[in-house]
Amino acid sequence: MAASSTLVYHHLPFFFLVFLLHAQPCPAAGGSWSTLLPSIGISAMHMQLLPNDRVVMYDRTDFGISNISLPNGKCRPNTTDCSAHSVEYDVASNTVRPLMVLSNVWCSSGTLMPDGRLVQTGGFDDGYRVVRIYKSCDSCDWQEIRDGLNQQRWYATNHILPDGKQIIIGGRRAFSYEFFPKISTNENTPSFPFLAQTNDPNAENNLYPFVFLYPDGNLFIFANNRAILFDYSKNQVIKTYPTIPGGQPRNYPSTGSAVLLPLRMTQGTVAAVEVLVCGGAPKGAFVNANKGIFDGALDTCGRIKISDPNPQWAMETMPSARVMGDMLLLPNGHVLIINGVSAGVAGWELGRNPVLSPVVYHPDKQVGSRFEVQNPSTIPRVYHSTAVLLRDGRVLVGGSNAHDKYEFTNVLYPTELSLEAFSPSYLDSNSSEFRPTIILPVKNTRIGYGKQVVVVFTVSGIVDPSSVSVTMVAPSFNTHSFSMNQRLIVLDGSPASKIIGRSRYQVVVTTPPSGNVAPAGNYILYLVHKDIPSPGIWVQMQ
Ligand SMILES: *[C@@H]1O[C@H](CO)[C@@H](O)[C@H](O)[C@H]1NC(C)=O
Ligand SMILES: *[C@@H]1O[C@H](CO)[C@@H](O)[C@H](O)[C@H]1NC(C)=O
Ligand SMILES: *[C@@H]1O[C@H](CO)[C@@H](O)[C@H](O)[C@H]1NC(C)=O
């Protein structure tokens, strides 16, 4: 084949050959990849960025011996496993420190609490009902609450609530929800029939439901192929949205992903609330994959304005099909779709054809020109891969293990212990003259609701005052291609103005009006100029 295609090229005029070599199926590739660490010792199945720029990661305790030892010759109690299954990655020093999880954290979920602790829930086997708390410091480790949950939670979704508690929704064969901390010691576990209704007996397909806090305090919950608006305090469905066109499943094991598109504040309100769901695997794909037939993944996204009185899905086609893709909100409000494969489903040995090129989705461009294919990685990130946004605007990518034990050789997709960073094109060196730096507020500033904040920044090149905005991003908990608590708010603000006599600029912005729009806790504040974000700074909403 190679010889005959070479022959064909030889018969073409030279300029046509050049054209062929440069022809791209999609416009303007961008972004760049770098390997941060070839091995962190574990496969990063779950990741959470913490407000001190460290990232907690963990895999499983029933997974064999990892490639990193517990410190000081420690072993997990009552086992012969002296290896770590959790690490803390420090972005600044690019190093990892091993941590000890006691019970099985496999396919669990979590939320960063308003005080900056990670509270993580459930898992498998001896971890089904465990709540684990991680407070970051140089020598901190996991604390476990044995019977912290009322129900077993394996593949559940968590979300932070306006009152500072977290809700834990669903999980395998758990058609209910509960809270942490508990509302009362004898709190019951409200049943949640929507999860029973969306549970496909052959494939489940409603695990790790997509959950977003709607700015009126209710929850938008998408499972399988449809969604509701839900009042968890009254256990009441407020609204039922139409089934996504085509009716194909989008949740684990037909793992697509979803984001709440940027919440743009205008005069103290959010003008439009929109959700974007992308990828997944068709009905029957899970049963087929278990028989060795790997169906092509879905190549569609559905976008719905859930704040419309009569919301309807609008469908769009991605440049390539994808299952197990992660969707991340970038600081400038664009959506990155990264990781995953184009055939099969989530689960051991069930995915095929890695998709190595991320895609950037521009929510504000015209339909038909919203997707932009990015430069590819060389490392397949299949089942159990992860991605989180870092404060500096890079995207941390880790994990991938297609097998039920660590498998490094003689397999189609070896277990990945490496960490990479994807740098979106806004970090290209030719953007540096437009890249802002925030001077004020200083890091860890506490900000209240509905307050005016002066953001002072510098830019080395010429500032275009009409293309300046201030965004706030909540750090999310990422696993199984979904980022829990992911949220980006575009603050209402004045146009940028030059501070007289200084090479500095300022914008005055109004902070979100309530915890329904921005639950209390840590956010990364960015100044965005011409779609190029500054390095972020941590602020605390309270
Ligand atoms: C395990 O870690 C060692 C260094 O500690 C490294 O040389 C080796 O490549 C790692 N193994 C894998 C599979 O990454
Ligand atoms: C280890 O086993 C002992 C004795 O069975 C038990 O009391 C203890 O709780 C176990 N520890 C853990 C962490 O499971
Ligand atoms: C930087 O270069 C890339 C590739 O040539 C281009 O697409 C992008 O628009 C440039 N960015 C700026 C800010 O000029």
Side-chain angles (χ1 to χ4, degrees), residues 76-78 102 126 146:
R76 212 161 70 249
N78 303 344
L102 298 173
D126 66 346
R146 272 284 147 134

Side-chain angles (χ1 to χ4, degrees), residues 67-393:
N67 202 27
I68 182 168
S69 297
L70 286 167
N72 312 320
K74 280 194 239 171
C75 304
R76 212 161 70 249
N78 303 344
T79 74
T80 53
D81 186 356
C82 308
S83 70
H85 294 283
S86 176
V87 299
E88 183 181 64
Y89 171 69
D90 179 28
V91 176
S93 63
N94 194 37
T95 55
V96 291
R97 183 171 77 81
L99 303 176
M100 174 147 56
V101 281
L102 298 173
S103 55
N104 202 342
V105 280
W106 179 35
C107 301
S108 60
S109 45
T111 287
L112 201 65
M113 299 303 271
D115 62 6
R117 291 176 307 160
L118 171 60
V119 171
Q120 175 277 338
T121 59
F124 178 64
D125 196 29
D126 66 346
Y128 275 138
R129 292 181 52 217
V130 177
V131 172
R132 307 171 193 81
I133 298 174
Y134 182 76
K135 170 134 184 48
S136 182
C137 75
D138 289 345
S139 60
C140 293
D141 214 329
W142 289 97
Q143 305 293 314
E144 306 210 351
I145 304 171
R146 272 284 147 134
D147 298 315
L149 295 178
N150 293 341
Q151 273 236 338
Q152 299 186 353
R153 302 283 171 192
W154 190 31
Y155 301 88
T157 295
N158 302 24
H159 206 292
I160 193 74
L161 297 173
D163 67 0
K165 291 187 192 305
Q166 62 170 299
I167 189 168
I168 304 132
I169 300 174
R172 245 180 145 168
R173 295 182 280 275
F175 308 133
S176 65
Y177 58 94
E178 60 184 286
F179 302 89
F180 186 88
K182 287 183 197 301
I183 282 172
S184 65
T185 44
N186 59 352
E187 173 199 322
N188 61 6
T189 309
S191 71
F192 191 27
F194 175 69
L195 290 180
Q197 291 153 13
T198 51
N199 183 46
D200 172 348
N202 296 317
E204 297 176 284
N205 271 332
N206 66 353
L207 297 174
Y208 284 122
F210 305 144
V211 178
F212 302 110
L213 177 65
Y214 188 84
D216 69 357
N218 292 309
L219 294 173
F220 173 90
I221 305 176
F222 182 103
N224 194 337
N225 57 14
R226 65 191 187 86
I228 56 171
L229 190 66
F230 186 63
D231 179 345
Y232 57 87
S233 63
K234 298 201 183 87
N235 194 2
Q236 239 174 49
V237 176
I238 306 285
K239 193 170 199 164
T240 299
Y241 298 98
T243 299
I244 195 166
Q248 299 289 11
R250 306 283 177 162
N251 294 83
Y252 179 94
S254 282
T255 303
S257 193
V259 291
L260 181 67
L261 289 174
L263 298 174
R264 198 172 293 278
M265 301 303 307
T266 314
Q267 318 253 290
T269 61
V270 182
V273 184
E274 292 186 86
V275 169
L276 180 70
V277 176
C278 292
K283 273 183 194 148
F286 179 72
V287 172
N288 281 344
N290 277 290
K291 293 189 227 155
I293 303 160
F294 302 99
D295 293 341
L298 304 179
D299 65 356
T300 53
C301 297
R303 179 166 166 174
I304 188 167
K305 193 181 283 185
I306 57 177
S307 54
D308 264 0
N310 180 22
Q312 298 297 325
W313 291 97
M315 302 306 287
E316 297 176 57
T317 304
M318 295 190 283
S320 55
R322 199 180 300 245
V323 58
M324 296 183 275
D326 286 275
M327 292 171 72
L328 295 184
L329 295 167
L330 297 174
N332 58 8
H334 300 166
V335 182
L336 181 69
I337 309 174
I338 193 166
N339 298 341
V341 301
S342 63
V345 296
W348 305 135
E349 324 291 338
L350 298 183
R352 291 292 183 280
N353 307 343
V355 185
L356 298 172
S357 290
V359 168
V360 170
Y361 177 86
H362 299 261
D364 298 331
K365 286 194 178 171
Q366 292 299 309
V367 176
S369 55
R370 288 183 177 154
F371 294 100
E372 191 190 1
V373 177
Q374 305 294 297
N375 288 319
S377 170
T378 55
I379 303 176
R381 299 287 177 178
V382 302
Y383 187 42
H384 284 157
S385 58
T386 46
V388 295
L389 176 70
L390 297 177
R391 185 172 58 84
D392 59 20

Side-chain angles (χ1 to χ4, degrees), residues 28-29 425 428 430-431 434 532:
S425 57
D428 289 355
N430 69 342
S431 299
F434 302 114
I532 301 164

Side-chain angles (χ1 to χ4, degrees), residues 38-41 66-68 407-409 414-418:
S39 170
I40 57 165
S66 78
N67 202 27
I68 182 168
E407 301 274 7
F408 300 118
T409 50
T415 303
E416 257 317 316
L417 306 183
S418 67

Side-chain angles (χ1 to χ4, degrees), residues 32-37 381 394-395 397 419-423:
S32 61
W33 288 87
S34 57
T35 298
L36 299 175
L37 290 171
R381 299 287 177 178
R394 290 179 300 162
V395 171
V397 174
L419 268 191
E420 286 174 288
F422 175 69
S423 297

